[in-house]
Amino acid sequence: MIRSPYLLYLGHSNDEVGIKTSRGLAVFRPEACVGEFRHDDCGLTLDLPRMTFAEAVAAGAKTLVLGIANAGGKLGDDLVRDAIAAIEAGLDVASGLHNRLRDEPSLVAAAARHGRLLHDVRDPRPDLPIGTGKPRAGLRLLTVGTDCSVGKMYATLCLERGMRARGLTADFRATGQTGILIAGSGVPLDAVVADFISGAIEQISPARDDDGWDLIEGQGSLFHPSFAGVSTGLLHGAQADALVLCHDPVREHMRGLPHYAMPGLAETLEANLRVARLTSPDVRAVGVALNTSKLTTAQAERLCADTSDALGLPCTDPFAMGVDPIIDRIIACFAPSSRVATLTH
Amino acid sequence: MIRSPYLLYLGHSNDEVGIKTSRGLAVFRPEACVGEFRHDDCGLTLDLPRMTFAEAVAAGAKTLVLGIANAGGKLGDDLVRDAIAAIEAGLDVASGLHNRLRDEPSLVAAAARHGRLLHDVRDPRPDLPIGTGKPRAGLRLLTVGTDCSVGKMYATLCLERGMRARGLTADFRATGQTGILIAGSGVPLDAVVADFISGAIEQISPARDDDGWDLIEGQGSLFHPSFAGVSTGLLHGAQADALVLCHDPVREHMRGLPHYAMPGLAETLEANLRVARLTSPDVRAVGVALNTSKLTTAQAERLCADTSDALGLPCTDPFAMGVDPIIDRIIACFAPSSRVATLTH
């Protein structure tokens, strides 16, 4: 187990999207975060106290979380140097990067020397099954997106909060390193061996008969040429009853790929429903989640209204505006009475 | 390097599809195969001399190839016992199974004791890149299928032979363990970490400017709920100019999944073209390859003719009837003159 509280690492980051792990922890587990570590050239903040490693230890921090997520996930020299300094100051280190801490001899040596632990959150468990696609009981919702990093984890976590607040049973199922750090369990899907993608999702969202929902965190996009395989396996493994489409309206091109335009919302929804139907023939869309953080309130409300009209689905910014319109739709579609009605027809 | 010649392992197998690695080697590298090893309850043969391990060593064999491929790829007790006996008789052991020989302590100990080598063909190289989807020069063909194990590797290898026989430059790019054993290189795609599926394919089929073809071995199926993620990433990484659709006309349901019906050929082709267009907007289908080994010649010819009429594409059994109709279509579509014509319009 990773010991909290955490010191969140920003390092030299100047890419807001790149620090989403650190920010996710600050937002969804604020009680576990004592501060942030950043260098002078880091233009970002999580609005947590800026601390050196020694100050963090004095404030009670147990673990430095390397909550930066660059494509490819290399451990840079700077990162290793900082992690060693943190170890020497008395902190464990947790990382969600592709490259493992355990593969960096200088880190392993420093941890051994000082009696500290290294946590690689992106190590999947070794007993993943092959997916079967067999129909299983329970209600499952999956967030899908036009692109990577458009708010799928946020939307899913906001839905968990919102559904619980309205008396529904709902459990977040994490598929990425930030989600796993927040939820305490899950599968780091991008690190799973390709043959086991759908099986890993079947494993973390098994059959349930309590009328509760598994809310599965989506990954990637069917329209991202680097990662669409992950998204496809996730759709098949999730066997989702409901999809929520997530989108960043100010994204200019596919993340990391200036030569790829963003797909349209209707096109994205249609493609996801088509792929999802292989294992869940009656899957339906129940809402659209926009990240409107770069828009004014008026712009955001207008955009949500227009998007809702265009797609015939409730549309909201889950973080800024809440998720009630989507929950209303979920209840309308999946309340026991409407499910019986569906079966009767 | 894996030392040849090989003794091919059939063990207790009674599932024809399960021994496709052994059979592929026997068919496409006959000069490297001295015999087959099978127990009395094995109802299959590759028409190679049946040998004990000692007899194989006496006949010059250097390596036992565990050419059986069961879903999930567990190493059973029988398999381990046989492999140890082979090592004791003087053979190296090569395996394409998911579970690695190197993770089986009794095998590792036996190999060390007798100075023999263990080869895990399904270990991807460690430097795989993330896919970019950037347009790259060259001509690429990918085989796709209605299901797993419907003849994609055979079709691709037959196309290589056939195209070379007609003076074209064409190189098989292996994506599975059998293909890698035949070609001497490639990527074991089902063992690649999910984030690197498309990047691995970009790596094995880099840009080329010699008017030659990369013929990329397909894997899985967009309609197989266990493995469609692999097929999706493969389509995106291949950036294929041409697709050949492969199908087994006597398959009754998706491999390993009695609860999933086979998709139709037109539906499969349409879905593959749609996914492929993300990275290769002008991709086109150039043929259909059927495995007609369970049909009479008359049935096979009738089925190919009917399929060709229905889809408007040349259709053949590559192994039984040759690949000339498909090569004719490739030349018609992609000969330098028609490519110039396409550019002019």
Side-chain angles (χ1 to χ4, degrees):
Chain A
M1 292 310 303
I2 301 173
R3 298 188 304 155
S4 60
Y6 303 146
L7 175 67
L8 303 181
Y9 182 81
L10 301 182
H12 300 276
S13 301
N14 278 293
D15 172 14
E16 180 61 48
V17 178
I19 64 162
K20 69 173 183 172
T21 297
S22 288
R23 186 173 295 282
L25 280 163
V27 169
F28 288 100
R29 273 193 78 184
E31 74 288 358
C33 304
V34 300
E36 65 188 33
F37 176 90
R38 55 189 163 87
H39 290 287
D40 289 340
D41 62 353
C42 170
L44 304 170
T45 179
L46 303 171
D47 295 322
L48 292 169
R50 182 179 177 184
M51 294 180 176
T52 65
F53 300 127
E55 288 165 350
V57 170
K62 303 292 187 202
T63 301
L64 174 69
V65 177
L66 300 178
I68 58 176
N70 25 359
K74 306 289 180 199
L75 295 183
D77 291 342
D78 278 353
L79 193 73
V80 172
R81 204 158 38 232
D82 286 341
I84 291 175
I87 289 166
E88 290 170 346
L91 293 166
D92 294 345
V93 181
S95 160
L97 296 168
H98 259 302
N99 288 57
R100 304 302 195 269
L101 303 177
R102 61 175 154 72
D103 291 333
E104 179 60 45
S106 62
L107 276 181
V108 173
R113 200 161 55 239
H114 295 274
R116 296 292 145 210
L117 298 175
L118 302 178
H119 299 282
D120 287 303
V121 175
R122 208 170 252 181
D123 281 340
R125 42 191 284 187
D127 62 342
L128 296 176
I130 299 264
T132 69
K134 282 190 190 152
R136 62 193 191 276
L139 291 163
R140 285 172 299 278
L141 179 149
L142 172 68
T143 46
V144 299
T146 49
D147 195 3
C148 306
S149 306
V150 292
K152 291 183 282 288
M153 185 192 75
Y154 270 53
T156 315
L157 284 162
C158 289
L159 280 165
E160 183 190 51
R161 270 191 191 167
M163 290 172 77
R164 288 180 173 180
R166 290 176 62 172
L168 298 168
T169 304
D171 299 294
F172 174 72
R173 302 300 182 204
T175 62
Q177 67 278 10
T178 306
I180 294 169
L181 284 163
I182 292 169
S185 67
V187 61
L189 197 62
D190 55 1
V192 164
V193 165
D195 253 10
F196 299 91
I197 303 172
S198 62
I201 299 302
E202 292 180 359
Q203 187 181 62
I204 64 158
S205 60
R208 64 187 292 175
D209 59 5
D210 62 350
D211 268 334
W213 283 83
D214 277 358
L215 308 176
I216 304 171
E217 178 192 6
Q219 293 292 337
S221 164
L222 292 182
F223 293 89
H224 197 296
S226 314
F227 307 121
V230 176
S231 309
T232 299
L234 179 41
L235 276 160
H236 289 162
Q239 211 176 96
D241 300 279
L243 299 183
V244 169
L245 173 62
C246 303
H247 177 59
D248 177 350
V250 302
R251 186 73 55 88
E252 292 178 348
H253 56 73
M254 296 300 282
R255 179 159 167 74
L257 304 177
H259 46 301
Y260 277 89
M262 296 285 287
L265 290 179
E267 179 188 13
T268 304
L269 200 54
E270 183 194 346
N272 276 279
L273 288 167
R274 189 189 303 121
V275 171
R277 279 189 201 108
L278 182 68
T279 59
S280 184
D282 298 325
V283 60
R284 55 184 124 182
V286 295
V288 181
L290 300 179
N291 174 353
T292 65
S293 57
K294 300 287 197 324
L295 307 181
T296 65
T297 302
Q299 286 173 325
E301 288 174 353
R302 165 65 63 91
L303 183 64
C304 286
D306 289 351
T307 303
S308 179
D309 288 347
L311 296 176
L313 290 169
C315 178
T316 180
D317 181 325
F319 194 63
M321 306 172 182
V323 289
D324 277 327
I326 297 177
I327 298 176
D328 292 340
R329 178 66 63 100
I330 290 171
I331 291 171
C333 290
F334 297 97
S337 58
S338 49
R339 286 161 69 204
V340 172
T342 302
L343 289 174
T344 308
H345 282 301
Chain B
M1 292 308 303
I2 300 173
R3 297 187 303 155
S4 59
Y6 303 147
L7 175 68
L8 303 180
Y9 182 81
L10 301 183
H12 299 278
S13 301
N14 278 295
D15 172 13
E16 181 61 48
V17 178
I19 64 162
K20 68 174 185 172
T21 297
S22 288
R23 186 172 296 282
L25 280 162
V27 169
F28 289 100
R29 273 194 79 184
E31 74 286 358
C33 304
V34 299
E36 65 188 32
F37 176 90
R38 55 189 164 87
H39 290 287
D40 289 339
D41 62 353
C42 170
L44 305 171
T45 178
L46 304 170
D47 295 322
L48 291 170
R50 181 179 176 183
M51 294 181 176
T52 65
F53 299 128
E55 288 165 349
V57 170
K62 304 293 187 202
T63 302
L64 174 69
V65 177
L66 300 177
I68 58 175
N70 25 359
K74 306 288 180 200
L75 294 184
D77 289 343
D78 278 353
L79 193 72
V80 171
R81 205 160 33 233
D82 286 340
I84 290 175
I87 289 166
E88 290 171 346
L91 294 166
D92 293 345
V93 181
S95 161
L97 296 168
H98 260 302
N99 289 54
R100 304 301 194 269
L101 302 178
R102 60 174 156 71
D103 291 333
E104 179 60 45
S106 61
L107 276 181
V108 172
R113 200 161 55 238
H114 295 274
R116 298 291 144 211
L117 298 176
L118 302 178
H119 299 281
D120 287 303
V121 175
R122 208 170 251 180
D123 280 340
R125 42 192 284 187
D127 63 342
L128 296 176
I130 298 264
T132 69
K134 282 189 189 153
R136 61 192 192 277
L139 291 163
R140 285 173 299 279
L141 179 147
L142 173 67
T143 46
V144 299
T146 49
D147 194 2
C148 306
S149 306
V150 291
K152 291 184 283 286
M153 185 192 76
Y154 269 52
T156 316
L157 284 162
C158 289
L159 280 165
E160 183 191 51
R161 271 192 190 167
M163 290 173 77
R164 288 180 174 180
R166 290 176 62 171
L168 298 167
T169 304
D171 299 295
F172 174 73
R173 303 300 183 203
T175 61
Q177 66 277 9
T178 307
I180 294 169
L181 284 163
I182 292 170
S185 66
V187 62
L189 197 62
D190 55 1
V192 164
V193 165
D195 253 12
F196 299 91
I197 303 172
S198 62
I201 300 302
E202 292 181 359
Q203 186 182 62
I204 63 158
S205 60
R208 64 188 293 175
D209 59 5
D210 63 350
D211 269 333
W213 283 83
D214 277 358
L215 308 176
I216 304 170
E217 178 193 6
Q219 293 291 338
S221 164
L222 292 182
F223 293 88
H224 198 296
S226 313
F227 307 120
V230 175
S231 308
T232 299
L234 178 43
L235 276 160
H236 289 160
Q239 213 175 97
D241 301 279
L243 298 183
V244 170
L245 173 62
C246 303
H247 177 60
D248 177 350
V250 301
R251 185 73 56 89
E252 292 178 351
H253 56 72
M254 296 300 282
R255 180 160 166 75
L257 304 178
H259 46 302
Y260 277 89
M262 296 285 287
L265 290 178
E267 179 189 13
T268 304
L269 200 53
E270 183 194 346
N272 277 278
L273 288 167
R274 189 189 303 120
V275 171
R277 280 190 198 106
L278 182 68
T279 60
S280 183
D282 298 325
V283 60
R284 55 184 123 181
V286 295
V288 180
L290 300 180
N291 174 355
T292 64
S293 57
K294 300 286 197 323
L295 307 182
T296 66
T297 303
Q299 286 173 325
E301 288 173 353
R302 163 65 64 92
L303 182 64
C304 286
D306 290 350
T307 304
S308 180
D309 288 347
L311 297 177
L313 290 170
C315 177
T316 181
D317 181 324
F319 194 64
M321 307 173 182
V323 289
D324 278 327
I326 297 176
I327 298 176
D328 292 341
R329 178 65 66 99
I330 291 171
I331 292 172
C333 290
F334 297 98
S337 58
S338 49
R339 286 161 69 205
V340 170
T342 302
L343 289 172
T344 308
H345 282 301

